[in-house]
């Protein structure tokens, strides 16, 4: 498996990280180094082995599906880079 | 009593209870040391006023009698823990200025026990690193020095390790996703334990890889690790993976008696090119445990070799998902936008500016291994291998092994900047002995056990059965007693 510049560009976009065009070749190379290391996993016989879903054999706790907190708009907005009139403000999303 | 900052938790507890010292005095001693130690880059947000307020409250509580063991003990808290009203940035520019409106469960447990917070500690950005060189605050520096070179304290809990080793605080919190407590503890000659996955609540700790992350104490000795761990642990309804199990009195389990216990020595940890002094340290450690009455047994953990590659699929995959929340909307940094920029430009520019190189690399690798067409080949395969790694441990435990002894790290601390041009995979190799423990969810402890030829500390790791931190700490205590590691770094800062 080898990652080309086009794939690197696509991954950066999927991750929502702006990568300038001139950085893409180096990024593709770094991906290839890391993936080359990961490829060792192909040597392992995993036939019949389930993917791990929980590292400790515990049943997740359940609770009643009810509201347990809320009414803290001010606290939630406190750290926002741009909060106006009780909302998070972002650039225009819909034309 | 001289140099209060150098006390262990146990000694300070006894002195506080006897009325020989006050928490305010202890706290002042630490604050003075911290102010004189900026060259170590360990404390990145100091909270002296808060600390003195908490110390005064602790003194009142101690006078009233029946205070918990941690009452009045001054600690450093890793920047990964959200602390109410105090900057909590995971050493990242993207969380610049973030002051949570809430307190993480682990730090709250410590505060409830009366502990004092001196400030926040340096770390690798989002806990991604093994040298504390990816921090937005700059490097944390190891108090141990060779030939005038500045060495790494390890990572990601580098600031915690540096602060404890330099006696800036009595102990510190750390977190460990692939070795981030144990490797820095080994590099700085202190003790660090990562408990069983689920022992400590992860609520309010900035998430890196949720199926691997665990908090734990970084302390001056094993007894302190037992005392502090007990205060940190416990079930938390706010973390559905936190275990609803009673927390034992770990300190009471430090009996020193390990007669008839079985210690496994895994042959796969004997790596090609392992430095002779690491090999010697390891066999010395095994001789010490044997001398204390344990049976030493050669064991096999056949999938060890695949732990690091599996980790470097699973951890980035979980990170790419966890770090999706940093989008410039809810908290932290937002990039300055140009006229006409839309919301995607905001996300992409914010994340490019806010995340450092290593974090970007891991988020993108994680995105790739989770993307359509590769999910099975990478992510699911890694999770299958993870099951095999866990089974390796289950098999040896079922055969009667009580704990496993390995080196903590493949080398002593290296120089800051030395790995700058190395391929990222080379840095990842630092975690080769520790990462299996996270993948299997087991408790692991690093104990300082000797010095290398340059005079730098080296650590041994003990790996325990799930939920048996008490036994594990007891093995570690035996190792500590017999290794007799008392060296301290010469003060240069």
């Amino acid at each position: 498996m080898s990652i080309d510049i086009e794939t690197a560009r696509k991954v950066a976009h999927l991750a929502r990280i702006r990568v300038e065009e001139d950085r893409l070749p180096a990024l593709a190379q770094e991906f290839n180094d890391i993936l080359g290391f990961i490829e060792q996993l192909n040597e392992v016989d995993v036939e019949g082995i389930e993917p791990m879903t929980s590292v400790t054999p515990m049943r997740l706790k359940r609770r009643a599906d009810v509201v347990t907190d809320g009414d803290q708009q001010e606290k939630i907005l406190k750290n926002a880079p741009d909060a106006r009139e009780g909302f998070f403000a972002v650039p225009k999303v819909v034309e | 009593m001289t140099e209060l900052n150098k006390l262990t938790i146990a000694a300070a507890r006894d002195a506080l209870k006897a009325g020989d010292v006050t928490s305010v005095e202890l706290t002042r001693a630490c604050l003075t040391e911290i102010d004189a130690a900026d060259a170590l880059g360990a404390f990145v947000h100091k909270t002296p006023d808060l600390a003195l307020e908490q110390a005064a409250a602790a003194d009142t509580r101690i006078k009233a009698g029946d205070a918990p063991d941690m009452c009045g003990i001054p600690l450093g808290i890793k920047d990964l823990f959200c602390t109410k009203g105090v900057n909590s940035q995971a050493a990242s520019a993207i969380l610049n200025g973030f002051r949570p409106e809430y307190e993480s469960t682990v730090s709250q447990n410590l505060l409830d026990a009366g502990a004092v917070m001196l400030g926040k500690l340096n770390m690798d950005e989002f806990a991604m690193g093994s040298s504390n060189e990816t921090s937005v605050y700059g490097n944390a520096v190891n108090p141990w020095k060779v030939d005038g070179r500045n060495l790494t304290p390890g990572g990601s809990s580098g600031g915690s390790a540096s602060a404890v080793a330099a006696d800036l605080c009595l102990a510190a919190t750390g977190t460990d996703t692939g070795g981030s407590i144990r490797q820095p503890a080994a590099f700085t000659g202190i003790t660090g334990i990562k408990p069983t996955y689920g022992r400590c609540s992860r609520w309010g700790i900035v998430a890196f890889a949720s199926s691997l992350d665990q908090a734990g104490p970084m302390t001056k000795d094993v007894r302190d690790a037992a005392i502090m761990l007990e205060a940190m642990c416990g079930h938390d309804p706010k973390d559905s993976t936190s275990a609803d199990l009673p927390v034992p009195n770990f300190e009471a389990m430090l009996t020193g008696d390990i007669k008839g216990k079985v210690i496994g020595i895994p042959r796969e940890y004997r790596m090609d090119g392992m430095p002779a002094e690491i090999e010697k340290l390891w066999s010395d450690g095994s001789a010490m445990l044997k001398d204390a009455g344990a049976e030493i047994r050669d064991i096999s953990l056949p999938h060890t070799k695949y732990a690091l590659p599996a980790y470097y699929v699973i951890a980035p995959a979980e990170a790419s998902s966890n770090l999706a929340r940093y989008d410039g909307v809810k908290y932290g940094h937002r990039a300055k936008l140009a006229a006409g920029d839309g919301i995607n430009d905001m996300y992409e520019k914010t994340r490019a500016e806010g995340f450092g190189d290593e974090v970007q690399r891991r988020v993108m690798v994680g995105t790739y291994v989770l993307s359509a067409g590769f999910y099975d080949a990478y992510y699911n395969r890694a999770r299958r291998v993870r099951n095999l790694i866990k089974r390796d441990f289950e098999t040896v435990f079922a055969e009667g092994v009580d704990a496993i002894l390995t080196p903590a790290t493949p080398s002593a601390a290296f120089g800051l900047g030395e790995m700058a041009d190395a391929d990222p995979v080379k840095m990842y190799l630092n975690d080769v002995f520790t990462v299996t423990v996270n993948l299997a969810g087991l408790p692991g402890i690093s104990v300082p056990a000797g010095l290398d030829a340059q005079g730098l500390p080296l650590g041994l790791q003990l790996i325990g059965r799930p939920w048996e931190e008490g036994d594990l700490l007891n093995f570690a205590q035996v190792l500590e007693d017999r290794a007799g590691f008392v060296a301290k770094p010469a003060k240069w800062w």
Side-chain angles (χ1 to χ4, degrees), chain A residues 1-3 7-8 10-19 23 27 30-31 33-35 37-61 63 72 74-82 84 88-93, chain B residues 97-99 101 197 211 235 240-241 243-244 303 305-306 308-310 312-313 328-332 334 337 341-349 351-352 355 360-361 363-365 367-368 374 378 380-388 390-391 423 425 428 439-441 467:
Chain A
M1 196 61 225
S2 167
I3 294 206
T7 311
K10 186 178 156 218
V11 170
H13 177 66
L14 282 173
R16 296 292 185 274
I17 295 174
R18 180 72 46 100
V19 178
R23 259 283 293 157
L27 185 66
E30 283 173 10
F31 286 165
D33 289 345
I34 294 169
L35 291 173
F37 178 64
I38 292 169
E39 304 272 300
Q40 292 176 66
L41 295 176
N42 293 333
E43 301 165 12
V44 186
D45 179 6
V46 293
E47 193 59 40
I49 308 293
E50 285 298 306
M52 182 185 283
T53 49
S54 170
V55 71
T56 46
M58 60 163 76
R59 184 178 281 275
L60 292 183
K61 290 245 176 201
R63 64 165 177 84
Q72 38 189 323
E74 204 179 307
K75 284 185 176 180
I76 285 168
L77 294 173
K78 186 97 181 271
N79 278 289
D82 190 1
R84 292 178 223 166
F88 293 113
V90 295
K92 198 155 92 176
V93 179
Chain B
F98 178 58
R99 288 188 181 169
E101 290 290 313
Y197 182 80
S211 78
H235 176 245
S240 61
T241 63
D244 196 356
H303 295 92
K305 176 182 172 203
Y306 302 106
L308 263 185
Y312 277 97
V313 174
V329 175
K330 300 180 289 296
Y331 26 63
R334 178 185 292 188
L337 301 181
D341 275 353
I343 194 152
N344 267 325
D345 297 298
M346 182 192 74
Y347 294 150
E348 291 187 351
K349 287 183 176 178
R351 289 161 66 82
F355 291 145
Q360 292 193 21
R361 181 152 48 228
V363 166
M364 288 193 274
V365 167
T367 302
Y368 180 75
F374 301 105
Y378 290 112
N380 272 341
R381 175 166 280 269
R383 290 196 303 146
R384 289 192 162 91
V385 172
R386 185 175 179 187
N387 246 337
L388 290 169
K390 184 166 176 247
R391 269 190 209 180
D423 159 348
V425 171
Y428 299 168
L439 289 169
W467 313 114

Side-chain angles (χ1 to χ4, degrees), chain B residues 191-244:
Chain B
T191 301
I193 180 169
K194 179 201 92 71
T196 313
Y197 182 80
R199 260 296 181 207
C200 285
S201 168
R202 291 179 294 105
W203 193 84
I205 301 173
V206 173
F208 162 15
S210 305
S211 78
L212 301 159
D213 298 344
Q214 264 296 291
M218 301 178 70
T219 57
K220 294 175 192 178
D221 64 17
V222 172
R223 179 166 301 273
D224 283 8
I227 297 169
M228 185 165 160
L229 179 63
E230 187 183 335
M232 293 169 72
C233 291
H235 176 245
D236 177 13
K238 288 186 284 196
D239 173 5
S240 61
T241 63
S242 96
D244 196 356

Side-chain angles (χ1 to χ4, degrees), chain B residues 147-331:
Chain B
D147 311 329
R149 284 185 306 145
N150 274 346
L151 305 178
T152 174
S156 69
S157 310
S160 304
S162 172
V164 174
D167 292 314
L168 308 185
C169 48
L170 272 56
T173 61
T175 62
D176 191 314
T177 304
S180 283
I181 286 175
R182 292 159 288 155
Q183 183 252 22
F187 276 10
T188 56
I190 65 166
T191 301
I193 180 169
K194 179 201 92 71
T196 313
Y197 182 80
R199 260 296 181 207
C200 285
S201 168
R202 291 179 294 105
W203 193 84
I205 301 173
V206 173
F208 162 15
S210 305
S211 78
L212 301 159
D213 298 344
Q214 264 296 291
M218 301 178 70
T219 57
K220 294 175 192 178
D221 64 17
V222 172
R223 179 166 301 273
D224 283 8
I227 297 169
M228 185 165 160
L229 179 63
E230 187 183 335
M232 293 169 72
C233 291
H235 176 245
D236 177 13
K238 288 186 284 196
D239 173 5
S240 61
T241 63
S242 96
D244 196 356
L245 291 173
V247 179
N249 179 340
F250 294 127
E251 191 187 9
M253 296 172 85
L254 303 178
T255 60
D257 180 10
I258 61 164
K259 280 195 190 70
K261 299 280 188 181
V262 180
I263 303 291
I265 308 290
R267 69 178 67 104
E268 291 79 7
Y269 283 60
R270 190 155 280 117
M271 302 280 171
D272 287 343
M274 178 184 267
E277 43 198 6
I278 301 274
E279 190 132 7
K280 180 171 185 313
L281 181 84
W282 193 11
S283 55
D284 287 352
S286 123
M288 289 172 207
L289 294 170
K290 188 173 179 200
D291 185 53
E295 179 198 328
I296 306 297
R297 194 184 288 175
D298 281 323
I299 59 167
S300 174
L301 299 167
H303 295 92
T304 299
K305 176 182 172 203
Y306 302 106
L308 263 185
Y311 177 85
Y312 277 97
V313 174
I314 292 166
E318 293 186 23
S320 79
S321 172
N322 272 325
L323 272 58
R325 73 191 71 185
Y326 305 103
D327 57 3
V329 175
K330 300 180 289 296
Y331 26 63

Side-chain angles (χ1 to χ4, degrees), chain B residues 45 77-81 87-91 120-121 123 137:
Chain B
H45 299 287
I77 303 292
K78 188 177 181 180
D79 199 37
L80 203 65
F81 291 78
N87 289 46
S88 306
Q89 300 177 195
K120 302 299 284 289
L121 292 165
M123 53 178 282
Y137 305 119

